[in-house]
């Protein structure tokens, strides 16, 4: 081995010497002219070189993306903390990076970062992002949800387009003379304002229903189905309007619409069956190869290209390509996973900023212009609200659900921005009207959450309350023990259920699981829910135990868990331990938040790999640990329970007398942690856990699995 390294060193040294000799000999080949050129072309100053690198087009483009991505994610996170969809924050980020704020506060930096000659690249990349996004929107539409109440859904969805569309035409009649660009016909202006009033953002609506746990309720299903039909109809109408505006004469428009219909039929009845065969064969990560992905992208891009050539915009073709992807959940999930993160995280923020660069709020510099902006928002809100809520009420929904549906259908978000940019590119919207409509899209999306909160508060305060449940005589009342198992990792849920079963603390059992990301599609949420509960439900079947599951996707998981636990009047919540990123405390971070915010008792499991719990040791420190005796009374007074021992620092009280008589209560002032190894489970209080902070390392070294109990408060009525 040593000889090999010596030989290696000699070879490297000889190569270095050879290279040096060639460089020296090569200088002889230089001519005088070459020498002069080298002197004249001496390297630039270091800082000049740095400046040239910064102003290079590629550097500018990368700096734009970095700035856009950072600001968009930051504002999306901040807005998410306020209970709003993150897309609202990203839209705001786009406006702030445009002339409305950055261009006003730092015009020189704004003109450097977003120089006019650099916006062409930004626009093309953002358009690619929109094509991919509309493809995923088409895939997320699941028209199978229409089967439950198809007539009601069609009635509501059509009304939610017709009413605001007519309102938009009336609004166009009011605005046309003062705000329509020169040369734009009233027909084009009115038809476009009508569609801008009619759009509903299905993707944002889907995320709102997920965050609020409405997606599996009748109200949520109705809203999603109505929004799906709304989107399909709106995009078909928009395609017809674009054909009419682009082609001009009626016969040309009819020809474009006819070609569009033929193309849709071709995609539905020829391309779709072929894709169904592909989906049936390649439906998982394992079987789907890059050739299949290339075929899907080819269909997407060809569809977008054909609709652009026909004259109804590439986005409609991308949307249609997504719709015809076969209804194979696994197949769609794989494709969405490969596209959505790149699109939503990187490409869509570019579109928001490009829209923000077009949005000049500073143009609204008179009270009359702001009054007109308010009028646009009023027409938008009333048109959608009346067009959705009244038909819902007529179809049999109660007033609360009807009004909530009106609030949900008012969500416009990104879909509205796409429509507005199309109108701006076609020259139908002036810069002033474009700015007003962007503010309208932002306002209607932002108000959805507060409107739902207000309706919920009003119902709780003044609304209909069901008849009171008759109170049983005291001797016949039975309050079941309610257990909540909350977990993040699927395996942890099964482990917590196994612990509860072996300690006989099951009772009425509920399982709670959250996905810590509200920005997921409906199909993804269904898959995550299934995968999350699969281990615990499988174990529950083995135990022949009924268990109720609760699932949501949320950006604020700790707060959601606290709210659910406090609403449910549980007796005990079991959770796994959780160490923060910069701490080794097993009960820090999220667990500490639960201790402070949850009313019921909490059990924190530090799992060290128990299988069968046969011997249990409980540490009783002082009178503050009296709540541990409740667990003793509930668990260990039953047959076929594990052997247990109570290790007490204090003399036994009257409550402990039964355990003293059985010889299960041992008083010991010196804690010999090495003896813990003979037990399968160690139970101690949070009070004792905090007292032995300095001894935790030793405890963790010798102890088996540990259950830390926090007393909490009695469940609220």
């Amino acid at each position: 081995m040593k000889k090999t390294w010596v030989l290696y060193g000699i070879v490297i040294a000889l190569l270095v010497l050879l290279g040096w000799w060639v460089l020296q000999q090569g200088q002889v080949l230089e001519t005088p002219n070459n020498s002069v050129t080298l002197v004249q072309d001496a390297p630039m100053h270091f800082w000049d070189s740095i400046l040239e690198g910064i102003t290079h087009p590629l550097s500018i483009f990368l700096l734009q993306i970095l700035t856009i991505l950072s600001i968009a994610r930051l504002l999306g996170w901040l807005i998410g903390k306020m209970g709003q969809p993150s897309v609202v924050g990203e839209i705001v980020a786009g406006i702030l990076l445009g002339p409305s704020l950055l261009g006003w506060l730092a015009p020189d930096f704004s003109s450097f970062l977003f120089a006019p000659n650099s916006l062409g690249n930004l626009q093309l990349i953002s358009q690619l992002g929109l094509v991919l996004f509309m493809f995923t929107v088409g895939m997320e539409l699941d028209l199978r949800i229409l089967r439950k109440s198809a007539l009601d859904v069609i009635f509501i969805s059509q009304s939610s387009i017709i009413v605001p569309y007519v309102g938009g035409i009336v609004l166009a009649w009011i605005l046309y003379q003062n705000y329509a660009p020169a040369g734009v016909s009233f027909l084009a202006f009115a038809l476009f304002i009508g569609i801008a009033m009619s759009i509903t953002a299905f993707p944002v609506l889907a995320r709102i229903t997920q965050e609020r746990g409405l997606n599996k309720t009748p109200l949520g299903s109705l809203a999603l189905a109505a929004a799906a039909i709304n989107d399909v109809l709106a995009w078909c109408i928009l395609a017809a309007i674009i054909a009419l505006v682009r082609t001009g004469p009626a016969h040309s428009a009819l020809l474009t619409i006819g070609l569009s219909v033929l193309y849709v039929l071709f995609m539905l009845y020829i391309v779709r069956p072929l894709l169904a065969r592909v989906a049936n064969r390649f439906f998982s990560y394992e079987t789907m190869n890059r050739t299949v992905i290339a075929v899907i992208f080819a269909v997407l891009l060809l569809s977008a290209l054909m609709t652009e050539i026909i004259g109804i915009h590439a986005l409609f073709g991308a949307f249609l390509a997504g719709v015809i992807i076969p209804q194979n959940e696994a197949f769609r999930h794989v494709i969405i996973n490969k596209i959505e993160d790149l699109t939503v995280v990187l490409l869509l923020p570019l579109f928001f900023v490009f829209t923000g660069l077009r949005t000049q709020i500073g143009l609204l510099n008179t009270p009359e212009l702001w009054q007109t902006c308010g009028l646009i928002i009023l027409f938008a809100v009333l048109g959608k609200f009346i067009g959705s809520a009244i038909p819902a009420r007529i179809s049999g929904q109660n007033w609360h659900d009807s009004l909530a549906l009106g609030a949900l259908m008012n969500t416009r978000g990104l879909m509205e921005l796409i429509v507005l940019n199309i109108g701006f590119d076609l020259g139908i919207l002036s810069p002033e009207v474009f700015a007003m409509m962007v503010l309208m899209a932002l306002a209607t999306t932002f108000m959805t959450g507060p409107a739902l909160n207000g309706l919920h508060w009003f119902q709780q305060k003044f609304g209909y309350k069901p008849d009171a449940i008759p109170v049983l005589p005291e001797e016949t009342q039975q309050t079941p023990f309610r257990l909540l198992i909350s977990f993040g990792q699927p395996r942890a849920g099964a482990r917590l259920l196994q612990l509860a079963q072996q300690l006989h603390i099951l009772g009425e059992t509920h399982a709670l699981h959250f996905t810590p990301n509200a920005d997921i599609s409906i199909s993804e949420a269904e898959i995550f829910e299934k995968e999350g509960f699969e281990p615990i439900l499988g174990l529950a079947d083995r135990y022949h135990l009924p268990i109720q599951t609760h699932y949501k996707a949320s950006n604020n998981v700790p707060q959601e868990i606290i709210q659910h636990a406090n609403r449910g009047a549980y007796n005990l919540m079991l959770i796994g331990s959780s160490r923060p990123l910069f701490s080794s405390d097993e009960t820090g971070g999220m667990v500490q938040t639960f201790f402070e915010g949850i009313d019921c008792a909490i059990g924190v499991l530090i799992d060290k790999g128990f299988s069968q719990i046969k011997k249990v040791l409980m540490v009783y420190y002082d009178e503050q640990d009296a709540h541990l005796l409740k667990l003793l009374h509930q668990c260990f007074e039953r047959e076929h329970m594990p052997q247990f021992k109570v290790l007490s620092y204090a003399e036994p009280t009257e409550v402990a007398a039964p355990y003293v008589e059985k010889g299960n209560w041992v008083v010991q002032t010196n804690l010999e942690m090495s003896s813990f190894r003979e037990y399968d489970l160690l139970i101690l209080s949070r009070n004792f856990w905090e007292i032995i902070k300095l001894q935790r390392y030793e405890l963790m070294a010798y102890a088996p699995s540990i259950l830390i109990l926090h007393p909490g408060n009695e469940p609220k009525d």
Side-chain angles (χ1 to χ4, degrees):
M1 186 68 181
K2 186 176 180 180
K3 292 180 179 180
T4 302
W5 281 108
V6 171
L7 180 61
Y8 173 76
I10 293 172
V11 171
I12 294 297
L14 290 174
L15 289 174
V16 170
L17 288 173
L18 176 62
W20 177 81
W21 181 81
V22 171
L23 291 174
Q24 293 298 316
Q25 295 300 314
Q27 292 180 5
V28 178
L29 303 177
E30 295 178 359
T31 64
N33 289 336
N34 287 339
S35 300
V36 171
T37 302
L38 289 174
V39 172
Q40 290 177 346
D41 294 340
M44 293 184 299
H45 191 274
F46 174 74
W47 293 113
D48 292 336
S49 176
I50 293 294
L51 181 61
E52 183 181 358
I54 292 176
T55 56
H56 190 276
L58 179 59
S59 299
I60 293 292
F61 183 64
L62 295 176
L63 185 59
Q64 287 174 343
I65 293 178
L66 181 62
T67 304
I68 292 167
L69 187 61
S70 302
I71 301 299
R73 297 313 298 173
L74 175 62
L75 286 180
W77 177 78
L78 289 175
I79 290 292
K81 290 297 182 182
M82 298 168 58
Q84 292 289 336
S86 59
V87 68
V88 173
E90 294 173 353
I91 295 173
V92 172
I95 294 175
L96 296 183
L97 288 173
S100 301
L101 183 67
L102 183 62
W104 175 57
L105 294 177
D108 292 338
F109 178 71
S110 179
S111 61
F112 162 73
L113 184 61
F114 298 109
N117 60 356
S118 70
L119 298 184
N121 294 332
L122 199 62
Q123 182 180 18
L124 288 176
I125 297 297
S126 68
Q127 289 297 312
L128 176 61
L130 289 182
V131 167
L132 294 174
F133 175 74
M134 291 305 299
F135 178 62
T136 60
V137 170
M139 280 195 292
E140 288 178 356
L141 290 180
D142 187 359
L143 302 183
R144 292 175 297 179
I145 55 181
L146 294 175
R147 295 173 183 171
K148 295 182 180 179
S149 52
L151 293 178
D152 290 346
V153 170
I154 293 174
F155 175 47
I156 294 169
S157 63
Q158 289 183 346
S159 299
S160 69
I161 283 186
I162 294 172
V163 173
Y165 203 102
V166 174
I169 293 175
V170 174
L171 178 65
W173 178 67
I174 299 172
L175 300 179
Y176 178 74
Q177 191 169 5
N178 295 325
Y179 295 103
V184 174
S185 68
F186 176 74
L187 178 63
F189 187 74
L191 292 178
F192 200 86
I193 295 295
I195 199 64
M197 295 290 110
S198 306
I199 204 75
T200 293
F202 175 81
V204 179
L205 177 63
R207 282 156 176 76
I208 291 175
T209 57
Q210 285 175 12
E211 287 186 23
R212 293 178 172 269
L214 297 174
N215 54 314
K216 292 192 174 180
T217 65
L219 170 62
S221 298
L222 181 61
L224 290 172
I229 296 297
N230 189 297
D231 263 10
V232 173
L233 292 177
W235 280 98
C236 291
I237 295 172
L238 179 62
I241 294 172
I242 294 172
L244 181 64
V245 172
R246 280 183 170 178
T247 54
H251 66 274
S252 298
L254 290 175
L255 179 61
T256 301
I257 293 172
L259 289 174
S260 303
V261 171
L262 290 176
Y263 183 70
V264 170
L265 295 175
F266 171 76
M267 294 290 285
L268 290 176
Y269 293 104
I270 296 180
V271 179
R272 187 175 186 176
L274 293 176
L275 289 178
R277 294 186 178 183
V278 175
N280 290 334
R281 183 172 181 182
F282 305 97
F283 57 87
S284 67
Y285 281 105
E286 183 178 6
T287 58
M288 187 179 293
N289 55 41
R290 292 180 179 177
T291 302
V292 179
I293 297 298
V295 169
I296 298 299
F297 272 101
V299 170
L300 161 63
L301 296 175
L302 283 172
S303 181
L305 175 63
M306 291 304 299
T307 52
E308 183 70 22
I309 293 173
I310 289 172
I312 54 173
H313 209 284
L315 296 181
F316 182 78
F319 177 76
L320 180 61
V323 171
I324 67 167
I325 294 296
Q327 295 286 345
N328 184 315
E329 291 183 4
F331 185 74
R332 287 193 170 201
H333 181 60
V334 173
I335 299 173
I336 289 174
N337 267 357
K338 291 181 178 294
I339 296 176
E340 197 165 43
D341 285 344
L342 173 67
T343 304
V344 173
V345 174
L346 182 62
L347 299 180
L348 280 187
L350 302 184
F351 170 73
F352 293 138
V353 171
F354 185 74
T355 303
L357 293 173
R358 292 176 156 191
T359 305
Q360 303 178 54
I361 298 178
L363 294 176
L364 310 183
N365 52 13
T366 65
E368 291 77 16
L369 288 170
W370 282 105
Q371 289 174 7
T372 303
C373 182
L375 184 66
I376 290 175
I377 294 174
L378 180 64
F379 266 77
V381 172
L382 290 181
K384 270 292 184 181
F385 201 82
I386 294 173
S388 304
I390 300 301
R393 179 59 180 160
I394 293 173
S395 64
Q397 304 295 319
N398 60 49
W399 272 115
H400 172 268
D401 286 355
S402 299
L403 296 175
L405 183 66
L408 288 167
M409 295 295 287
N410 243 313
T411 304
R412 285 176 172 83
L414 173 61
M415 305 298 285
E416 180 73 14
L417 294 187
I418 296 173
V419 172
L420 296 180
N421 275 274
I422 292 174
F424 194 80
D425 289 332
L426 293 174
I428 298 174
L429 300 180
S430 66
E432 293 86 358
V433 174
F434 181 78
M436 296 176 191
M437 299 291 273
V438 169
L439 291 177
M440 178 270 289
L442 191 60
T444 52
T445 306
F446 193 89
M447 68 175 58
T448 301
L452 292 174
N453 293 338
L455 286 171
H456 180 71
W457 175 86
F458 188 85
Q459 184 192 39
Q460 294 293 322
K461 194 77 174 175
F462 307 106
Y464 168 79
K465 293 181 174 61
D467 296 334
I469 300 174
V471 179
L472 299 174
E474 187 173 346
E475 62 273 8
T476 61
Q477 288 188 34
Q478 290 186 355
T479 304
F481 181 84
R482 290 171 61 85
L483 173 67
L484 176 64
I485 296 176
S486 179
F487 59 94
Q489 296 297 327
R491 179 181 175 277
R495 295 292 288 169
L496 291 170
L497 180 63
Q498 183 180 357
L499 174 72
Q501 190 272 340
Q502 296 196 24
L503 294 182
H504 286 254
I505 52 174
L506 291 172
E508 183 182 309
T509 306
H510 297 250
L512 180 65
H513 177 61
F514 285 93
T515 295
N517 177 18
D519 296 329
I520 57 175
S521 65
I522 297 175
S523 59
E524 285 180 314
E526 291 175 350
I527 291 174
F528 295 157
E529 180 179 5
K530 180 181 177 181
E531 292 177 348
F533 288 117
E534 191 171 9
I536 193 171
L537 290 178
L539 190 61
D541 286 341
R542 286 173 48 194
Y543 294 153
H544 305 289
L545 171 70
I547 186 169
Q548 299 183 40
T549 60
H550 310 271
Y551 171 82
K552 273 181 71 175
S554 173
N555 288 325
N556 194 353
V557 172
Q559 191 60 36
E560 293 278 5
I561 293 176
I562 290 172
Q563 291 176 0
H564 181 93
N566 289 340
R567 283 197 307 263
Y570 296 101
N571 299 91
L572 175 65
M573 181 176 85
L574 288 180
I575 57 176
S577 60
S578 174
R579 283 189 292 184
L581 185 61
F582 300 106
S583 171
S584 59
D585 185 0
E586 300 279 357
T587 57
M590 191 180 295
V591 175
Q592 187 70 28
T593 303
F594 296 155
F595 285 154
E596 296 169 357
I598 291 179
D599 297 327
C600 69
I602 301 174
V604 182
L605 174 65
I606 302 177
D607 189 1
K608 299 181 71 175
F610 70 89
S611 55
Q612 186 69 29
I613 300 177
K614 298 179 180 179
K615 297 180 66 177
V616 178
L617 177 65
M618 177 182 288
V619 178
Y620 184 92
Y621 187 73
D622 56 25
E623 62 275 4
Q624 293 187 48
D625 293 350
H627 63 94
L628 296 179
L629 300 180
K630 293 182 180 179
L631 184 68
L632 273 178
H633 182 71
Q634 173 151 355
C635 301
F636 299 113
E637 290 297 314
R638 306 187 183 191
E639 296 182 0
H640 310 296
M641 286 304 300
Q643 301 177 20
F644 74 93
K645 180 182 290 186
V646 179
L647 189 62
S648 174
Y649 275 70
E651 292 297 327
T653 60
E654 183 178 346
V655 180
Y659 308 107
V660 175
E661 292 176 2
K662 294 179 180 180
N664 293 330
W665 192 284
V666 178
V667 178
Q668 183 174 328
T669 56
N670 295 323
L671 197 62
E672 294 292 337
M673 295 186 182
S674 59
S675 63
F676 292 170
R677 289 175 171 170
E678 62 182 277
Y679 295 93
D680 301 305
L681 180 68
L682 173 65
I683 300 177
L684 45 89
S685 68
R686 183 195 172 201
N687 168 51
F688 182 70
W689 176 257
E690 295 298 331
I691 289 172
I692 60 166
K693 282 185 177 179
L694 299 178
Q695 297 175 277
R696 285 182 189 173
Y697 180 80
E698 182 184 3
L699 175 70
M700 295 299 295
Y702 290 111
S705 295
I706 303 174
L707 179 63
I708 303 172
L709 290 176
H710 171 70
N713 303 314
E714 292 297 326
K716 297 178 180 179
D717 296 331

